[in-house]
Amino acid sequence: MANSDATPNFGGRTSVRLVVLGDEGTGKSSLIATVAAESFPENVPSLLPPTRLPLDYFPDRVPLTIIDTSSSPENRSKLAAECRLADAVVLTYGCDQPATLDRLSTFWLPELRRLQVKVPIIVVGCKLDLRDDNQQVNLEQAMVPIMQQFLEIETCMECSSLNQIQVPEVFYYAQKAVLHPTAPLFDQETQILKPRCVSALKRIFILCDHDRDGALSDGELNDFQVRCFNAPLQPAEIVGVKRVVQEKSPEGFNEHGLTLTGFLFLHAMFIEKGRLETTWTMLRKFGYDNDLKLRDDLIPLNFKRAPDQSVELTNEAVEFLKAIFFMFDIDGDGVLRPAELDDLFSTAPSSPWAEGPYIDAVKKNAFGGLSLAGFLSEWALMTLLDPASSLANLIYLGFAGDPASAFHITRRRRLDCKRQQSQRNVFQCYLFGPKKAGKSALLNSFIGKPFTGTYSETTYERFAANILDHLMDKPKETLILREIPEDGVKNLLSNNESLAACDIAVFAYDSSDENSWRKAMDLLVDVASHGENTGFGVPCLIVPTKDDLDPSPMALQHSTRVSQDMGIEAPITVSVKLGDLNNVFHRIISAAQHPHLSIPETEAGRNRKQYRRHVNCSLMVVSVAIVGLAAYRVYSTRKNASDLGITVSHQTASGSDL
């Protein structure tokens, strides 16, 4: 597993800027001048201008700029500014001045932390040729305590500019620390691979395990080597890899080949031995950036669509996810336990559903397990809200198809209204209502959570997603409920396109509270007016909740009359407490599937529509009159011309007789 002539790829980095720091007289300027001239100069200025090494100075062929600094107090602000621009820091001390070594831990390293300089640090002892033979210092003994305290130190070494000892190596390792950083891969404190690195390596291992037997055979190892390094593994190299792994990690090889344990061991060994370029070359070949996430160019960040279009998974993507679900359902019980779900996402940088809005958005069993319906509902929700994240996680799970084949942009809802039928499989429902209207209880019932009589005010938008069972001969649909807190409605409607993503709006109110209905009606009018003014009107339903309580006759009568006046369906009463939901979720889907119906019409909207009709009628009358007048003029002109022709004809005839 050695590098060869693979095309350089350094996570998008095209240059490296190094800043050299240290006490006065430690040899900073001489170090820079020597590496630039490839010889020790006789006269070195106290402060050099920025020095750029030739492109081919190091094998990586990345432009390297070296910045000299002054340690004098009057230049402290300039030094701080240079540190903030640095990709790495070369921190020097004088081998002939033990006090400068002590100042690394008492001043320079704490100062870099104070300045929040978070880049690799290379500690370099200069003037090795001037060290007093009576004051020999073991570099490892001197530096280990410092490196344990300051983990940002990448490496340490000693050099002599005068005798040309390890001068180019100083800048080679400094550049290498930038192009092939340790921090994302390896925890210096615990001396183990970092979780995100393990996730990336595991994904690569799975992608290379073509026969899915849990091990990389000799052929698969060779294919891996060719893909990453453009050169095959020689038989002797394969034998050498096996021997090293079997000696150090017996579980790293089995009868089928190199296991995941062995694969991880090899890369931990490469990193410990300073061969980070091997691991980074492989990671970058498989699309990872320096944060160990897939590069942006692999994930379309903009799914171009109109405001009233949405993004859904295609059948190809859904079938892939179903296969993944059953692959990780180890016990075959039709449910992914939390541990199985963690394992499923172990090839991603982190679980995408570990926090809002996904963490409590779907139905789970008492042990937190996800059914296939719940699993696909989470994916539908993530695809709707964040299609770029959905695509990234599909790729992390091993989806190898064209990204375009995984997603479908729906038809514009405005066009659905004209066609009087929606083609969507995923519908988003905005759930409005005043406080204590039972919105959260309705949401919870949708994803199988038990009813609790304890009231807890919702101060943020909540989502719930579920796949509805077959209704007669209709296919399954995914419904996503989005609870809008009462206090958040004004902010929502301040955006002219806020209703564009909404397929249907539901207005819940406490059927036992007349005041609750009044507030719900105000919300209904606000939303309906917003839809009329912006052109994004949506079907609406009224849902009186808490039907187990004594109803308010006035509220029920008024809500029924309002639904009739506004041209929407009659209210759907429910009782979450009694489990009597009156088929409300299927009725929500049904209304959303017919986007031209149940769009509420306000009085102002009705007046505007009547005014437009009146204007259109007036224009039509005027148009008919104009057309009629024009036709009459044409007729009159032709008639006159015809009469004139007859007269001339008769005169001619009379002349002939004469």
Side-chain angles (χ1 to χ4, degrees):
M1 290 189 177
N3 204 344
S4 70
D5 297 328
T7 303
N9 179 351
F10 305 112
R13 186 175 291 280
T14 56
S15 64
V16 173
R17 185 182 182 90
L18 303 180
V19 173
V20 183
L21 307 177
D23 284 337
E24 185 177 357
T26 55
K28 302 187 295 294
S29 301
S30 294
L31 179 66
I32 298 171
T34 301
V35 76
E38 299 188 55
S39 63
F40 183 74
E42 293 296 330
N43 298 307
V44 180
S46 59
L47 185 67
L48 293 171
T51 301
R52 183 163 179 168
L53 298 185
L55 186 65
D56 59 354
Y57 199 98
F58 295 123
D60 287 328
R61 298 182 62 81
V62 174
L64 179 63
T65 302
I66 307 171
I67 307 298
D68 194 8
T69 61
S70 170
S71 57
S72 61
E74 58 269 22
N75 290 314
R76 197 58 53 85
S77 60
K78 185 177 180 181
L79 183 145
E82 289 292 358
C83 286
R84 293 190 179 100
L85 296 174
D87 296 317
V89 167
V90 174
L91 182 56
T92 64
Y93 67 91
C95 292
D96 60 333
Q97 304 173 61
T100 60
L101 175 60
D102 295 335
R103 273 180 51 84
L104 296 183
S105 56
T106 60
F107 174 73
W108 284 107
L109 290 165
E111 177 67 5
L112 288 171
R113 283 188 175 179
R114 187 188 68 80
L115 295 173
Q116 297 185 345
V117 178
K118 299 179 180 179
V119 298
I121 297 173
I122 312 300
V123 173
V124 179
C126 299
K127 303 185 179 182
L128 181 60
D129 52 283
L130 296 180
R131 172 178 285 161
D132 188 341
D133 292 338
N134 297 322
Q135 294 182 344
Q136 289 294 332
V137 177
N138 183 291
L139 180 62
E140 184 175 351
Q141 289 179 351
M143 287 304 304
V144 165
I146 299 176
M147 294 183 72
Q148 288 176 342
Q149 182 181 357
F150 297 94
L151 299 179
E152 55 267 40
I153 298 175
E154 189 80 15
T155 190
C156 55
M157 58 194 305
E158 293 178 334
C159 70
S160 169
S161 298
L162 178 64
N163 294 335
Q164 298 285 296
I165 298 174
Q166 293 204 128
V167 173
E169 286 82 351
V170 168
F171 299 99
Y172 170 75
Y173 284 113
Q175 185 189 65
K176 183 178 176 181
V178 177
L179 301 180
H180 311 292
T182 303
L185 307 181
F186 198 72
D187 190 318
Q188 298 279 23
E189 190 170 1
T190 60
Q191 292 290 293
I192 60 173
L193 295 172
K194 287 188 173 180
R196 187 169 285 189
C197 178
V198 172
S199 296
L201 294 176
K202 183 175 181 180
R203 171 178 171 262
I204 293 170
F205 178 88
I206 292 172
L207 290 176
C208 295
D209 181 18
H210 303 305
D211 56 11
R212 295 292 187 268
D213 64 352
L216 299 183
S217 64
D218 291 358
E220 290 168 336
L221 274 175
N222 192 63
D223 291 343
F224 165 81
Q225 177 78 7
V226 170
R227 175 171 179 175
C228 294
F229 306 110
N230 296 338
L233 275 174
Q234 299 303 316
E237 292 178 303
I238 294 178
V239 172
V241 168
K242 289 181 179 180
R243 184 177 64 252
V244 170
V245 173
Q246 288 171 336
E247 287 177 359
K248 303 292 185 179
S249 178
E251 296 180 355
F253 252 98
N254 62 23
E255 66 274 14
H256 300 294
L258 182 70
T259 66
L260 176 61
T261 300
F263 190 70
L264 296 175
F265 165 78
L266 277 178
H267 286 281
M269 182 184 71
F270 293 151
I271 294 168
E272 288 176 351
K273 290 187 175 183
R275 292 173 55 190
L276 289 96
E277 64 274 13
T278 300
T279 300
W280 273 116
T281 298
M282 177 202 65
L283 288 167
R284 287 163 179 156
K285 280 289 185 178
F286 280 86
Y288 286 93
D289 61 16
N290 283 0
D291 295 322
L292 294 185
K293 293 183 178 180
L294 290 174
R295 297 193 313 270
D296 290 344
D297 61 290
L298 298 178
I299 305 169
L301 296 181
N302 293 315
F303 285 73
K304 292 183 179 179
R305 59 194 185 278
D308 58 346
Q309 290 180 293
S310 60
V311 183
E312 297 180 1
L313 293 169
T314 61
N315 288 335
E316 181 180 345
V318 170
E319 291 304 315
F320 168 79
L321 290 172
K322 286 180 179 178
I324 289 289
F325 178 91
F326 291 116
M327 180 188 303
F328 284 88
D329 180 19
I330 304 301
D331 51 13
D333 61 352
V335 173
L336 286 182
R337 294 178 287 108
E340 292 172 332
L341 190 63
D342 288 343
D343 193 27
L344 184 147
F345 281 117
S346 65
T347 55
S350 60
S351 172
W353 304 336
E355 54 189 26
Y358 310 109
I359 189 168
D360 289 318
V362 299
K363 188 174 183 178
K364 298 178 181 178
N365 65 17
F367 304 101
L370 271 181
S371 67
L372 178 61
F375 180 71
L376 295 178
S377 296
E378 284 275 36
W379 278 99
L381 176 60
M382 183 164 63
T383 303
L384 180 79
L385 300 181
D386 189 359
S389 178
S390 185
L391 172 57
N393 281 282
L394 276 173
I395 296 174
Y396 287 132
L397 295 188
F399 183 79
D402 181 357
S405 69
F407 297 94
H408 165 65
I409 307 294
T410 62
R411 189 169 68 186
R412 295 194 63 174
R413 191 159 55 80
R414 192 170 291 175
L415 186 56
D416 284 345
C417 288
K418 291 181 180 179
R419 302 279 177 88
Q420 300 186 359
Q421 184 68 45
S422 175
Q423 295 181 327
R424 302 186 180 191
N425 297 310
V426 180
F427 295 93
Q428 182 172 195
C429 169
Y430 286 14
L431 180 55
F432 296 95
K435 297 172 183 176
K436 299 185 178 181
K439 302 188 297 296
S440 295
L442 197 61
L443 224 73
N444 290 337
S445 69
F446 182 52
I447 53 177
K449 291 188 175 182
F451 174 80
T452 61
T454 306
Y455 173 71
S456 177
E457 182 181 349
T458 301
T459 57
Y460 57 91
E461 290 188 357
R462 282 186 60 209
F463 290 85
N466 206 347
I467 296 176
L468 298 186
D469 295 331
H470 286 278
L471 186 65
M472 294 183 291
D473 295 329
K474 295 181 180 179
K476 291 184 178 182
E477 311 286 352
T478 301
L479 176 62
I480 294 173
L481 299 181
R482 177 180 178 181
E483 181 182 356
I484 312 294
E486 183 182 8
D487 296 337
V489 175
K490 183 177 179 180
N491 182 59
L492 176 75
L493 298 183
S494 64
N495 182 349
N496 286 341
E497 296 179 349
S498 58
L499 295 180
C502 175
D503 295 299
I504 184 167
V506 166
F507 297 83
Y509 75 91
D510 181 349
S511 63
S512 68
D513 184 352
E514 186 177 341
N515 188 50
S516 180
W517 158 245
R518 289 198 189 96
K519 291 180 178 180
M521 183 180 66
D522 290 341
L523 292 172
L524 172 59
V525 172
D526 288 345
V527 170
S529 300
H530 187 275
E532 290 171 339
N533 294 332
T534 62
F536 292 117
V538 296
C540 294
L541 294 176
I542 298 172
V543 177
T545 63
K546 305 182 184 181
D547 195 37
D548 48 282
L549 301 178
D550 292 334
S552 166
M554 183 67 70
L556 289 175
Q557 291 172 12
H558 196 205
S559 63
T560 300
R561 187 168 65 252
V562 166
S563 66
Q564 293 171 345
D565 292 344
M566 298 186 81
I568 62 178
E569 288 187 30
I572 306 169
T573 56
V574 301
S575 170
V576 175
K577 182 178 181 179
L578 299 179
D580 182 7
L581 297 177
N582 204 2
N583 211 23
V584 64
F585 302 121
H586 283 106
R587 293 168 76 171
I588 290 172
I589 284 279
S590 179
Q593 288 174 327
H594 301 88
H596 62 297
L597 302 176
S598 288
I599 299 178
E601 192 174 50
T602 65
E603 186 175 350
R606 195 177 298 113
N607 291 337
R608 279 198 297 270
K609 188 179 288 185
Q610 290 175 350
Y611 173 75
R612 283 196 294 269
R613 276 203 207 100
H614 177 71
V615 170
N616 290 337
C617 288
S618 299
L619 290 174
M620 188 176 294
V621 170
V622 171
S623 299
V624 170
I626 291 173
V627 171
L629 180 60
Y632 174 76
R633 285 178 176 173
V634 171
Y635 169 76
S636 178
T637 301
R638 288 178 177 175
K639 186 175 185 305
N640 290 337
S642 176
D643 291 344
L644 182 62
I646 293 172
T647 303
V648 171
S649 176
H650 283 307
Q651 290 175 346
T652 304
S654 300
S656 177
D657 292 340
L658 291 172

